[in-house]
DNA sequence: CAGAATCCTCGCCGATACTG
DNA sequence: CAGTATCGGCGAGGATTCTG
């Protein structure tokens, strides 16, 4: 049983919706970004995502997929075959999001070196001096 | 004492830089987005940020500011007056990021209702049925 | 293949109190 | 005004094991 707070959920629907900070936390969360970007080209299977996202554990992949599905960003399609086959696709809502997320990962890729250097500089400055 | 793992930091600088997932986790983290967006128009003071970011505690504001400064996204300027005055500004690197983050918050704003509804729907579907 | 279940650890994060 | 210090709960998240 997930047992999410039903009262809180009802309040959200009747009022103004989900708090922005919570939306962003889900949608731009540590693993969600990679998953959405990886799922954008088309239906993707569980194991493909596991390889694509890099560093994610099976557990966190499952949990994040469930949360994204609950938020209406992913659709989950089960094919009752042996072995089982499950495909994840972005909803229209998530497709709209995809471009921004791509920009984000592109930015991260371009600046990862600069960030590493900034950190090292900060660390020496704040260990030697007070 | 921050005591970050110096060996790991050195490895990052010499090799390919900071892992993307970690960059994204910092830059698009729960509070970082709001802070960067709020600081984009120009130098912002601590208390302005505290009011702007909505829901953030003084502690998390401080910690997130420090982390963003360490990553080279914010510059912190202290004016030795009484009472003290501290201003935070985005670095060029962070300015580049700002546009993407704005798109993100805009998306979140537009879809918060839909997300709340999706959740409610998911919850009833997965409590009644198996 | 695509998970569910369990255990355990670590860091986020709020609450509170104190300071230059 | 702009922090720092400390405590404590709770959830993120890895490792491992089991399953239809």
């Amino acid at each position: 049983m997930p047992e999410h707070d039903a009262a809180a959920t009802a309040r959200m629907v009747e009022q103004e919706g989900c708090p922005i900070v919570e939306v962003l936390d889900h949608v731009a969360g540590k693993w969600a970004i990679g998953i959405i970007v990886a799922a954008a080209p088309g239906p993707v299977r569980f194991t493909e995502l596991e390889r694509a996202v890099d560093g994610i554990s099976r557990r966190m992949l499952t949990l994040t997929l469930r949360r994204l599905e609950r938020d209406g960003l992913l659709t989950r399609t089960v094919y009752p075959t042996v072995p089982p086959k499950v495909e994840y696709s972005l909803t229209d809502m998530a497709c709209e999001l995809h471009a921004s997320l791509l920009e984000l990962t592109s930015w991260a890729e371009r600046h990862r070196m600069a960030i590493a250097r900034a950190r090292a500089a900060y660390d020496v400055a704040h260990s030697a001096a007070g």
Side-chain angles (χ1 to χ4, degrees), chain A:
Chain A
M1 273 175 280
E3 198 62 35
H4 303 287
D5 186 347
T9 307
R11 218 177 309 123
M12 282 182 197
V13 176
E14 289 168 16
Q15 291 182 358
E16 76 285 5
C18 197
I20 314 172
V21 67
E22 189 182 323
V23 175
L24 291 173
D25 198 30
H26 284 195
V27 141
K30 186 174 184 180
W31 302 116
I33 299 178
I35 291 179
I36 293 176
V37 168
V44 184
R45 302 185 59 173
F46 187 88
T47 312
E48 296 185 66
L49 286 170
E50 195 174 5
R51 279 191 300 260
V53 175
D54 183 73
I56 198 170
S57 66
R58 184 158 301 179
R59 173 189 158 78
M60 285 317 295
L61 179 55
T62 303
L63 288 179
T64 311
L65 285 173
R66 287 289 174 278
R67 200 167 61 171
L68 291 175
E69 190 195 353
R70 183 167 106 101
D71 284 357
L73 295 168
L74 289 182
T75 57
R76 179 170 175 269
T77 321
V78 185
Y79 299 91
T81 59
V82 246
K85 177 179 172 183
V86 178
E87 281 183 347
Y88 294 91
S89 307
L90 297 192
T91 61
D92 295 354
M93 199 160 66
C95 282
E96 250 184 88
L97 183 64
H98 173 240
S100 316
L101 259 32
L102 255 189
E103 281 186 57
L104 224 58
T105 56
S106 161
W107 182 93
E109 189 71 61
R110 291 200 308 277
H111 295 282
R112 52 197 290 189
M113 276 299 284
I115 289 175
R117 272 186 264 109
R119 269 187 213 180
Y122 182 98
D123 289 352
V124 298
H126 288 72
S127 62

